[in-house]
């Protein structure tokens, strides 16, 4: 098999990030050590991080810069794939600084301003700053307001100032709108980078390449040929240590308006006129606006919610959601959701989009199934063929990364019998495995000012509009049958019924 050329370690594969300082609010947290630090290291390794780069961590925890540097080294060793390059580590250590301070205290921002000025002078970072808000969501608005009050958001003399806002962006449509208003009062939309880490995944970005860099799929990518679309995001983990947060959110808020809406919009969008940020985001936004709002009746018939009971995952007994740390024993929070949506436009009218996501499911796997309409049966009328299986194209997002096309083939022998076969492409066969946390691309994009893979205000609000009717009705009618699925299964039976009523079935992948 011929293998495509890939980036050689240390080879630069794109434009280097601008000289800049990254300021992480919440620098003592898990996201910083598990994702952000390894991503910066990987970017440096691939020569995509400017040598004139610095990072300032801010958190409440009392710590000196030296202690922060020692922690960084430990985090690199723990979370970077493979051995850490000693020269790169040494360089990295010199570029980082720490400020212990309260996010709500204006003096923290004065201190930040002084450190930024010094870093600019010593490390030639050109006065370009981006702030990463890896904090509890309550701080998003106040931090930006205080940065702005300290003059740290204003762009002058060709210096840029940007802010990356983590999820959750609001907990419903009203709070998302309010947060947008708070941010837009202080800064311009083009300075705001609302992150959705799903867009950092190679396989999610590949949906665009697959659809628009190939001539053969687009002509059949519509209601004439496609019967329905399924999106499954299964996780085997429970709520881990996040019971407190999760119980106030639930599966719908946690996964649907953000990650799953990204998958829907990339799968369904029209070809953009270019890959400029707004050209792509305009098309995505149109899909989000075209998702038919669910009436109360629809919520009752087209949505399913579930909560996991105890069960078995990989041969291990696991507890019920209600027994997880931080979760009340009578919790009514859903850990599973399945929905049937319609995208109301010419391309997709009448093609259902079924989606499901849940914790403690039978397998950890995220994939999109495009099921095509059946071929007419006519040709096989007088043969022993009982039924024709529909063609399915499966975009595997994770942990398997690839694309498979399922079609019918004649099974060998004197009689005309059909079997189903798969044509399989695996990313790793062609491109090998590159160490990546999924945040490299997003951080780099922010450093070069490319907002294509970040959410605009209108997109976030459109995502919340889709789930609003569900949130409202589910709140008004609390579930009575929780827990209603055993850990290690594909969710409650009602989720199977949702498709079976339409004569369809979920495609399940066991890993
Ligand atoms: C997060 C959710 O946004 O995404 C988590 O809050 C979820 O509950 C996670 O586990 C899934 O991300 P990934 O990259 O593991 O699919």
């Amino acid at each position: 098999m011929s293998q495509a050329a890939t980036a050689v370690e240390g080879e630069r594969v794109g434009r280097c990030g601008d000289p800049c300082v990254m300021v992480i609010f919440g620098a003592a947290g898990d996201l910083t050590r598990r994702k952000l630090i390894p991503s910066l290291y990987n970017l440096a390794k691939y020569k995509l991080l400017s040598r004139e780069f610095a990072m300032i961590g801010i958190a409440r925890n009392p710590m000196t810069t030296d202690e922060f540097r020692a922690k960084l080294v430990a985090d690199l060793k723990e979370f970077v794939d493979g051995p850490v390059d000693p020269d790169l580590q040494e360089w990295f250590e010199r570029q980082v600084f720490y400020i212990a301070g309260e996010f709500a205290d204006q003096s923290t921002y004065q201190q930040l301003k002084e450190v930024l000025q010094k870093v600019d002078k010593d490390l030639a970072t050109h006065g370009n700053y981006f702030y990463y808000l890896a904090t509890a969501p309550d701080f998003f608005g106040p931090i930006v307001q205080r940065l702005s009050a300290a003059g740290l958001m204003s762009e002058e003399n060709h210096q840029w100032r940007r802010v990356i806002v983590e999820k959750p962006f609001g907990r419903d449509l009203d709070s998302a709108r309010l947060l947008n208003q708070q941010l837009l009062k202080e800064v311009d939309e083009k300075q705001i980078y609302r992150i959705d880490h799903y867009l950092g995944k190679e396989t999610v970005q590949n949906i665009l390449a697959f659809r628009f860099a190939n001539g053969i799929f687009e002509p059949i990518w519509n209601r004439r040929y496609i019967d329905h679309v399924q999106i499954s995001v299964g996780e085997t983990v429970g709520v881990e240590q996040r019971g407190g947060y999760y119980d106030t959110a639930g599966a719908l808020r946690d996964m649907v308006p953000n990650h799953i809406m990204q998958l829907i919009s990339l799968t369904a969008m029209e070809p953009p006129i270019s890959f400029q940020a707004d050209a792509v985001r305009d098309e995505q936004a149109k899909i989000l606006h075209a998702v038919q709002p669910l009436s109360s009746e629809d919520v009752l018939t087209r949505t399913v919610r579930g909560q996991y009971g105890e069960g078995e995952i990989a041969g291990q007994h696991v507890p019920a959601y209600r027994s997880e740390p931080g979760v009340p024993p009578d919790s009514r929070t859903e850990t599973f959701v399945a929905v049937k949506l319609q995208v109301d436009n010419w391309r997709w009218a009448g093609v259902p989009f079924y989606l499901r996501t849940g914790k403690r499911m039978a397998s950890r796997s995220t994939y999109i199934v495009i099921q095509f309409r059946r071929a007419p049966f006519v040709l096989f009328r007088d043969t022993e063929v009982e039924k024709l299986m529909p063609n399915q194209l499966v975009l595997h997002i994770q942990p398997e990364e690839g694309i498979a096309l399922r079609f019918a083939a004649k099974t060998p022998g004197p009689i005309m019998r059909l079997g189903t076969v798969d044509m399989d492409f695996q990313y790793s066969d062609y491109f090998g495995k590159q160490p990546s946390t999924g945040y490299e691309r997003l951080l780099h994009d922010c450093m070069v000012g490319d907002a294509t893979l970040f959410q605009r205000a209108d997109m976030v609000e459109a995502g919340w509009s889709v789930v609003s009717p569900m949130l409202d009705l589910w709140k008004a009618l609390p579930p009575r049958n929780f827990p209603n699925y055993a850990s290690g299964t594909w969710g409650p039976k009602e989720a199977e019924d949702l498709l079976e009523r339409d004569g369809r079935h979920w495609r399940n992948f066991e890993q």
Side-chain angles (χ1 to χ4, degrees):
M1 188 189 293
S2 77
Q3 308 278 298
T6 174
V8 181
E9 205 161 288
E11 180 192 344
R12 180 185 298 172
V13 286
R15 173 183 156 192
C16 184
D18 292 352
C20 62
V21 185
M22 174 181 186
V23 180
I24 305 179
F25 286 87
D30 245 23
L31 184 73
T32 304
R33 54 200 282 264
R34 286 174 185 274
K35 303 287 183 187
L36 303 182
I37 296 210
S39 306
L40 291 170
Y41 173 87
N42 288 337
L43 283 175
K45 186 160 126 187
Y46 290 110
K47 302 199 184 319
L48 290 169
L49 193 65
S50 168
R51 295 298 284 181
E52 285 133 13
F53 168 84
M55 191 261 267
I56 301 175
I58 305 188
R60 270 196 207 127
N61 311 36
M63 221 188 318
T64 61
T65 285
D66 281 344
E67 285 164 342
F68 187 58
R69 287 177 174 168
K71 181 169 152 28
L72 174 121
V73 171
D75 294 344
L76 281 179
K77 297 214 163 105
E78 189 172 352
F79 295 108
V80 158
D81 263 352
V84 177
D85 176 328
D87 293 339
L88 212 49
Q89 174 193 313
E90 228 176 82
W91 173 79
F92 206 176
E93 268 182 86
R94 286 196 304 272
Q95 311 301 109
V96 308
F97 306 86
Y98 183 76
I99 297 173
E102 293 289 336
F103 304 145
D105 190 344
Q106 195 61 35
S107 67
T108 306
Y109 300 79
Q110 273 319 317
Q111 212 184 330
L112 173 62
K113 198 170 182 173
E114 284 155 27
V115 178
L116 279 167
Q117 278 162 359
K118 181 161 167 30
V119 167
D120 264 343
K121 197 156 132 276
D122 296 349
L123 301 177
T125 44
H126 295 218
N128 296 325
Y129 311 145
F130 73 106
Y131 308 97
Y132 198 114
L133 308 189
T135 67
D138 290 351
F139 288 115
F140 296 164
I143 290 177
V144 173
Q145 193 266 323
R146 291 196 159 81
L147 285 169
S148 176
L152 290 171
M153 286 304 316
S154 54
E155 299 188 311
E156 285 157 7
N157 309 323
H158 304 292
Q159 295 167 331
W160 52 255
R161 306 282 157 89
R162 298 173 186 145
V163 57
I164 299 187
V165 187
E166 257 295 338
K167 136 180 201 285
F169 198 95
R171 52 174 283 110
D172 53 22
L173 181 57
D174 288 343
S175 53
R177 274 194 184 132
L178 188 68
L179 181 53
N180 274 329
Q181 283 162 10
Q182 284 173 353
L183 299 181
L184 290 166
K185 211 167 100 198
E186 309 296 341
V187 296
D188 202 76
E189 173 66 35
K190 74 172 180 25
Q191 294 176 274
I192 307 173
Y193 287 64
R194 297 174 192 79
I195 205 164
D196 183 318
H197 80 277
Y198 261 56
L199 289 171
K201 295 181 193 289
E202 289 287 345
T203 39
V204 172
Q205 292 163 28
N206 193 46
I207 300 173
L208 286 179
F210 179 78
R211 289 192 55 203
F212 302 130
N214 296 296
I216 59 174
F217 303 110
E218 222 25 48
I220 55 168
W221 208 262
N222 58 51
R223 62 193 297 273
R224 271 190 76 184
Y225 298 98
I226 293 180
D227 176 73
H228 74 275
V229 177
Q230 298 178 14
I231 298 183
S232 294
V233 182
E235 297 186 89
T236 48
V237 289
V239 286
E240 300 171 294
Q241 301 315 312
R242 302 159 72 223
Y245 150 75
Y246 195 88
D247 202 62
T248 61
L252 181 62
R253 283 193 175 92
D254 191 45
M255 298 297 286
V256 180
N258 33 63
H259 308 326
I260 292 189
M261 283 300 147
Q262 298 302 334
L263 299 178
I264 294 182
S265 65
L266 294 174
T267 307
M269 68 192 264
E270 294 300 313
I273 55 163
S274 74
F275 279 105
Q276 295 291 315
D278 276 332
V280 175
R281 299 191 299 179
D282 284 346
E283 295 305 337
Q284 282 184 278
K286 279 189 209 160
I287 292 297
L288 299 174
H289 287 296
V291 174
Q292 204 177 65
L294 297 184
S295 64
S296 304
E297 176 65 25
D298 293 334
V299 176
L300 293 175
T301 55
R302 295 200 206 162
T303 72
V304 175
R305 54 188 154 158
Q307 187 192 75
Y308 62 82
E310 58 186 341
E312 253 193 34
I313 303 257
Q316 297 284 317
H317 178 265
V318 293
Y321 175 69
R322 289 177 175 181
S323 310
E324 300 276 18
V327 175
D330 57 352
S331 168
R332 289 168 162 179
T333 299
E334 82 286 352
T335 59
F336 172 93
V337 41
V339 186
K340 173 184 175 182
L341 292 175
Q342 300 279 352
V343 177
D344 257 357
N345 65 13
W346 273 50
R347 188 190 280 261
W348 296 110
V351 179
F353 281 67
Y354 300 98
L355 53 100
R356 64 175 172 175
T357 181
K359 300 274 185 203
R360 290 285 193 223
M361 308 228 9
S363 90
R364 173 175 183 245
S365 47
T366 299
Y367 51 90
I368 302 170
V369 177
I370 314 286
Q371 180 157 321
F372 293 90
R373 290 181 186 280
R374 275 174 216 279
F377 201 56
V378 180
L379 176 65
F380 299 94
R381 191 178 291 142
D382 296 323
T383 57
E384 289 196 13
V385 174
E386 283 161 21
K387 60 175 183 195
L388 297 180
M389 293 299 287
N391 295 118
Q392 285 186 337
L393 180 77
V394 186
L395 308 177
H396 290 280
I397 308 290
Q398 66 181 20
E400 209 190 308
E401 301 188 324
I403 296 175
L405 180 65
R406 169 173 274 196
F407 57 93
K410 181 183 173 306
T411 53
I415 301 171
M416 184 58 168
R417 283 189 197 280
L418 296 180
T420 306
V421 296
D422 280 303
M423 211 151 67
D424 239 323
F425 152 73
Q426 298 284 333
Y427 251 78
S428 52
D429 288 346
Y430 283 79
F431 303 113
K433 275 245 178 254
Q434 296 219 27
S436 157
T437 65
Y439 279 73
E440 289 84 354
R441 165 82 195 258
L442 298 171
L443 292 178
H444 178 261
D445 281 357
C446 182
M447 292 179 208
V448 299
D450 181 350
T452 312
L453 297 179
F454 293 86
Q455 301 301 291
R456 272 189 331 217
D458 58 328
M459 296 166 76
V460 170
E461 291 178 18
W464 280 115
S465 301
V466 172
V467 299
S468 271
M470 296 178 234
L471 290 173
D472 294 346
L473 198 91
W474 286 3
K475 188 170 168 207
L477 296 178
R480 298 207 182 141
N481 60 348
F482 279 5
N484 60 351
Y485 70 98
S487 287
T489 66
W490 287 101
K493 178 168 179 312
E494 290 85 344
E496 304 296 329
D497 300 343
L498 183 71
L499 267 72
E500 270 168 29
R501 278 203 298 274
D502 297 345
R504 300 177 173 119
H505 304 279
W506 291 106
R507 178 116 182 241
N508 295 335
F509 288 92
E510 311 284 345
Q511 301 287 335

